[in-house]
Amino acid sequence: MRVAVVGATGMVGQVMLQVLAERNFPITELIPVASPRSVGKQVLYKQKEYTISSMEDAIAAKPDIAIFSAGGDTSLEFAPKFAEVGTTVIDNSSAWRMDLTKKLVVPEINANALTKNDKIIANPNCSTIQMVLALAPLHKKYGIKRLVVSTYQSITGTGVKAVQQLENEYAGEKGEMAYPYPIHRNAIPACDVFQENGYTKEELKLVNETQKILDDRTIAITATAVRIPVVGGHSESVNLEFHNEYDLTDIRKLLSETDGVTVQDNPDTNTYPMPIYAEGKNDVFVGRIRRDHSQENSLNMWIVSDNLRKGAATNAVQIGEYLVENNLV
Ligand code: 2RA
């Protein structure tokens, strides 16, 4: 497979290269792509240096797959150009996610809907991916009526500048600010920009993408997305109301049997998911699974995952694996 990684020097792009190597993706030719100022520089893949190509040269090379993590504007401009030469694009930005002609894919849930005709495939938002992976089996059996989610998101989701700001604050040093206020010893209830309805784009992604992936616009969803001074992954407190009565033991069984989900849930032994332990792993970790006694047919749980892996790079690579395994590229 000739594979282009667009945004190869970025935080997600670098994890993408790690994951492609770890999972031994069948690459015969790797084409790292980055901004014009990076063209000609080197990136490492499997301990070997690869020269960064321009977008134009990468398109001309007609790769089989192009995995993008380069922002929405770049995806909107260049994903169609790759598709025109026959490349299948897997895009990590929000550009195509709610496009009615594009599929929004978490492989364990809906990769089976993919066909050879899907030349631009959208990777969902990180906080959406980890949540829907846990919700899908529960929705299938019990039918989710309403979902209330609060997120506690890693600053790696904001980008390198935010990580640097936190490190500077830890060290008591001045430096470039990603936020107009401290990240260290703070909680920032603003992930991405505010919309006129008072919600942020991040919160609306959790609503709209979840309904699209679960293919059910009747699910009532409300979200609050918070940035916290953590780097290992996103955490989410999820409250579910089902249409039907449920059995708590069966909920645990369904989650334990779901590919990509690990249940960590024993308060007696202080066993529950935490980002410091999820970092660098590909699974979605679920714990604090408990009945919500304040309302019928309702459940609380806690979901943690490395937002750069299953929340971005790993999910995208798994889409690529599905395409290869099913001869769709
Ligand atoms: C965030 N979900 O965490 C986004 C990814 N950039 O801000």
Side-chain angles (χ1 to χ4, degrees):
M1 284 286 142
R2 280 170 305 160
V3 176
V5 175
V6 179
T9 58
M11 209 182 281
V12 172
Q14 287 290 297
V15 176
M16 198 82 73
L17 293 170
Q18 285 172 33
V19 172
L20 286 165
E22 285 168 11
R23 299 175 73 94
N24 212 19
F25 196 82
I27 295 178
T28 53
E29 181 187 350
L30 176 73
I31 307 169
V33 186
S35 63
R37 68 174 180 277
S38 297
V39 171
K41 291 180 182 173
Q42 307 292 318
V43 290
L44 276 179
Y45 171 72
K46 287 191 172 179
Q47 288 82 43
K48 199 178 147 208
E49 287 197 333
Y50 287 78
T51 304
I52 292 172
S53 297
S54 68
M55 197 72 86
E56 293 69 22
D57 288 350
I59 293 167
K62 298 184 180 178
D64 301 290
I65 295 176
I67 309 181
F68 272 61
S69 184
D73 293 343
T74 300
S75 292
L76 284 171
E77 181 179 356
F78 292 104
K81 291 177 178 168
F82 273 99
E84 279 162 22
V85 299
T87 301
T88 298
V89 173
I90 302 168
D91 177 41
N92 267 285
S93 82
S94 57
W96 304 99
R97 290 175 185 157
M98 299 315 293
D99 183 313
L100 295 178
T101 68
K102 302 296 181 287
K103 289 173 183 149
L104 184 61
V105 177
V106 177
E108 297 90 337
I109 300 173
N110 59 358
N112 57 356
L114 289 171
T115 72
K116 277 182 176 289
N117 299 324
D118 294 305
K119 301 311 283 182
I120 297 177
I121 302 164
N123 205 49
N125 190 40
C126 41
S127 47
T128 305
I129 291 172
Q130 67 184 69
M131 184 174 74
V132 292
L133 189 60
L135 296 189
L138 310 186
H139 182 55
K140 187 175 177 184
K141 180 150 187 188
Y142 293 109
I144 297 172
K145 180 179 178 183
R146 183 168 185 258
L147 157 64
V148 181
V149 52
S150 297
T151 73
Y152 307 79
Q153 299 188 209
S154 163
I155 47 123
T156 54
T158 309
V160 176
K161 213 163 85 168
V163 175
Q164 192 56 61
Q165 177 183 336
L166 179 59
E167 286 170 359
N168 291 339
E169 290 167 355
Y170 281 156
E173 292 168 5
K174 291 282 182 204
E176 204 177 355
M177 301 281 279
Y179 289 93
Y181 25 69
I183 300 171
H184 184 34
R185 301 170 61 172
N186 202 3
I188 303 167
C191 297
D192 210 328
V193 296
F194 280 93
Q195 303 302 287
E196 286 185 9
N197 64 4
Y199 285 82
T200 62
K201 276 189 174 180
E202 192 77 0
E203 291 158 351
L204 296 176
K205 289 172 191 173
L206 283 158
V207 176
N208 298 323
E209 293 178 21
T210 299
Q211 291 177 340
K212 181 169 179 178
I213 294 163
L214 298 181
D215 192 23
D216 188 341
R217 304 278 177 203
T218 70
I219 303 174
I221 304 175
T222 191
T224 302
V226 181
R227 192 75 66 188
I228 59 170
V230 154
V231 292
H234 290 348
S235 303
E236 296 170 339
S237 172
V238 169
N239 177 273
L240 296 172
E241 179 188 1
F242 296 109
H243 287 289
N244 307 296
E245 282 184 16
Y246 70 86
D247 174 83
L248 194 55
T249 305
D250 185 47
I251 292 282
R252 291 177 190 283
K253 181 171 178 293
L254 286 170
L255 289 167
S256 301
E257 292 171 353
T258 300
D259 284 346
V261 171
T262 296
V263 173
Q264 294 177 327
D265 193 29
N266 184 351
D268 294 341
T269 58
N270 293 313
T271 303
Y272 25 73
M274 291 180 270
I276 199 165
Y277 299 122
E279 185 174 9
K281 300 184 178 75
N282 294 314
D283 264 19
V284 169
F285 300 90
V286 183
R288 300 298 321 280
I289 304 163
R290 61 202 191 280
R291 188 172 294 278
D292 171 3
H293 296 288
S294 71
Q295 179 171 267
E296 273 197 336
N297 305 329
S298 297
L299 177 80
N300 286 310
M301 59 185 180
W302 176 252
I303 303 171
V304 177
S305 191
D306 184 331
N307 56 296
L308 298 179
R309 281 182 169 261
K310 184 56 181 175
T314 306
N315 195 72
V317 172
Q318 288 171 325
I319 292 172
E321 288 169 347
Y322 182 89
L323 295 171
V324 172
E325 286 157 16
N326 292 275
N327 302 310
L328 299 180
V329 287

